[in-house]
Amino acid sequence: MTTIAPPQIRTICCIGAGYVGGPTMAVIADRCPDIQVLVVDMNTTRIAAWNDDDLAKLPVYEPGLDAVVGRCRGRNLHFSTEVDAAIAAADMVFIAVNTPTKTRGIGAGQASDLRWVEACARQVAKAAVGHTIVVEKSTLPVRTAEAVKAILEAAEDTDTTRSFSVLSNPEFLAEGTAIRDLENPDRVLIGGESTTAIHALAGVYGQWVPPEKILRTNLWSSELSKLTANAFLAQRISSINSIAALCEATEADVEEVARAIGSDSRLGPKFLKAGPGFGGSCFQKDILNLVYLCRHFGLPQVADYWESVVALNTWHQHRIAALVVQKLFGTVTGKRIAILGFAFKADTNDTRESPAIRVCRDLLEEGAILAIHDPKVDPDQIALDLGQPVGESWLHCDAVADAVTGADAAVILTEWQSYSELCWDALAPLMRQPAWVFDARAITDSLAVCLAGLNHWRVGCGMV
Ligand code: NAD
Ligand code: UGA
């Protein structure tokens, strides 16, 4: 790579206007008013939604995002489908495209599908002008930068007016708290070979992130740290969910156990909430990618270790569906069951790998009729996730009261604040008795539910 001093960053292009590209670039634009930020995507519908005058129609739901976009859009934040033009105008190009698990060919079911990342590298190689810093923002297998660099170096060889530096700058935001995480990150990680390029990117973040929170590493440590962070987080959830199952068998209470172990400063209290298993677009895909890499590098024992985190999660989700069937006298055929929450966590409209999908599919397989409520998820998305249109086997309800009417059970799968405030005294008479509340998020008051005349199950609670 040629080491030409990069220009001061005046224009940034981000390829990929998804859950990461959109919010991240909105915050950069907000905090760096002197930088023009061009967010591009090949998905015209998504770009149209980002440009919608009605900020309630942004394609990503994140608390606070509408305000940030409202402040910057049209000023120094622009959304378009003109990918080549944006690359040509930019001093720095972020690649924030999807990196899902491969579904076919070598590594299917585990390795990351890098076709979109490679397409971006080729498009940058074709359209960039002058010196361009290319930033890997997507989560990538360790050593992906090698391929990105190879593609860009070939472009340098054919046109010496152009040069590139490659950086890894993984994103650690969590959905639902994306704006808070971006505005006040625990750390920003920048990996690279060129200190000038690292300095340029650190300068962008430095406009609002304290210098001690900007970590600099080599490329490979940065790429691997992202996969490792997600693997450790997911491992904690599988650990607490495994203990939740044991609590249920032993009259222990996982909330009490979590508080007891989380008080140890070496463990800490966060990420110890038992639930219906982890969902979201990344934990499973990133661990499976780690598993694939470990096998590739001849470390089968390490691969098996991490694979068990995903296996426990899958088992736990099936376990919850099976438990509902068992408590409802061993059969749910023809019974109406209210599903409260379809998003993979609260404060997002994202359903990717949501635990609700597996639980609902299992209950549908048993013949249940599901009445599904979620304050943010579009019913069309639920139909896609369940692989069947709204109709006979499941219906969509705009109100919780509608969902529970005539139901034998309400199953809480997302921890929406509004579900913790439900008045079970008012809902119980609408249900067919004897009725159950299955609280897979531990957000209901057990006493209030029982006083309303309902049976109550809470994840990880063995007390009767
Ligand atoms: P996403 O699917 O929401 O968005 C990706 C976007 O990239 C899509 O809109 C797609 O149309 C666009 N795209 C793909 N190839 C393109 C191309 N060649 N040209 C133009 N546009 C293109 O994905 P996401 O959730 O934003 O995740 C992006 C990356 O960030 C992934 O690697 C993911 O693992 C990582 N990540 C995600 C999160 C999260 O919370 N979702 C957090 C941290 C990291
Ligand atoms: C996660 C990580 O937290 C982010 O740091 C990372 O950037 C991101 O993945 C990514 O790479 O995509 P996210 O999946 O958006 O973020 O949300 P989390 O808050 O981590 O929750 C993931 C899943 O675990 C959810 O289904 C959530 O309900 C579940 N969870 C989380 C629990 O069951 N218990 C907990 O204590 C915490």
Side-chain angles (χ1 to χ4, degrees), residues 384-405:
L384 278 175
D385 289 332
L386 295 182
Q388 41 187 302
V390 63
E392 271 177 32
S393 56
W394 74 273
L395 45 134
H396 180 258
C397 299
D398 288 330
V400 170
D402 294 341
V404 302
T405 298

Side-chain angles (χ1 to χ4, degrees), residues 15-21 40-43 46 83 96-99 116 119-120 123 137-139 171 173 175 226 281-282 285 352:
I15 312 178
Y19 284 86
V20 166
V40 290
D41 202 295
M42 59 189 180
N43 182 332
R46 210 164 205 184
V83 181
V97 297
N98 37 317
T99 50
W116 293 277
C120 288
Q123 203 154 0
K137 180 53 95 180
S138 297
T139 301
E171 184 48 61
L173 69 79
E175 288 178 32
K226 173 63 196 176
S281 61
C282 295
K285 114 176 140 57
R352 290 178 289 180

Side-chain angles (χ1 to χ4, degrees), residues 324-341:
V324 172
V325 176
Q326 181 231 319
K327 298 277 188 205
L328 296 183
F329 310 117
T331 175
V332 292
T333 307
K335 290 182 181 169
R336 179 172 167 124
I337 297 178
I339 300 293
L340 303 188

Side-chain angles (χ1 to χ4, degrees), residues 11-198:
T11 305
I12 285 175
C13 161
C14 174
I15 312 178
Y19 284 86
V20 166
T24 307
M25 292 303 127
V27 169
I28 290 183
D30 198 29
R31 297 304 174 121
C32 308
D34 296 333
I35 298 179
Q36 287 295 316
V37 180
L38 318 173
V39 189
V40 290
D41 202 295
M42 59 189 180
N43 182 332
T44 47
T45 318
R46 210 164 205 184
I47 290 298
W50 280 112
N51 283 322
D52 202 300
D53 287 339
D54 182 355
L55 289 170
K57 292 194 178 144
L58 295 181
V60 169
Y61 172 71
E62 275 296 336
L65 176 63
D66 50 355
V68 178
V69 172
R71 277 198 295 276
C72 309
R73 202 176 53 188
R75 181 191 76 184
N76 66 331
L77 177 66
H78 313 274
F79 295 94
S80 95
T81 51
E82 303 291 319
V83 181
D84 283 350
I87 293 171
D91 310 308
M92 181 176 272
V93 177
F94 284 78
I95 299 177
V97 297
N98 37 317
T99 50
T101 304
K102 274 182 87 173
T103 52
R104 53 194 290 201
I106 298 167
Q110 290 194 328
S112 287
D113 190 340
L114 296 178
R115 76 177 95 163
W116 293 277
V117 173
E118 180 173 337
C120 288
R122 291 189 185 280
Q123 203 154 0
V124 174
K126 182 172 65 105
V129 175
H131 184 80
T132 309
I133 300 173
V134 177
V135 184
E136 295 176 344
K137 180 53 95 180
S138 297
T139 301
L140 298 170
V142 56
R143 298 209 72 90
T144 302
E146 214 164 67
V148 174
K149 280 197 296 178
I151 290 167
L152 298 175
E153 271 164 1
E156 284 178 343
D157 291 344
T158 53
D159 177 354
T160 52
T161 65
R162 285 134 38 85
S163 58
F164 301 93
S165 305
V166 176
L167 298 177
S168 158
N169 171 224
E171 184 48 61
F172 296 101
L173 69 79
E175 288 178 32
T177 53
I179 300 300
R180 200 174 73 204
D181 296 342
L182 289 163
E183 290 181 338
N184 188 18
D186 284 350
R187 80 308 209 177
V188 165
L189 179 57
I190 305 177
E193 287 160 351
S194 154
T195 38
T196 336
I198 294 176

Side-chain angles (χ1 to χ4, degrees), residues 377-446:
V377 177
D378 194 300
D380 291 342
Q381 184 59 48
I382 299 177
L384 278 175
D385 289 332
L386 295 182
Q388 41 187 302
V390 63
E392 271 177 32
S393 56
W394 74 273
L395 45 134
H396 180 258
C397 299
D398 288 330
V400 170
D402 294 341
V404 302
T405 298
D408 288 27
V411 187
I412 300 174
L413 294 177
T414 311
E415 73 282 25
W416 288 104
Q417 170 79 19
S418 57
Y419 295 159
S420 62
E421 295 161 357
L422 290 171
C423 174
W424 291 102
D425 274 339
L427 296 173
L430 304 173
M431 302 177 75
R432 186 171 83 155
Q433 304 300 330
W436 279 85
V437 172
F438 294 97
D439 183 359
R441 289 290 186 173
I443 54 168
T444 50
D445 175 354
S446 167

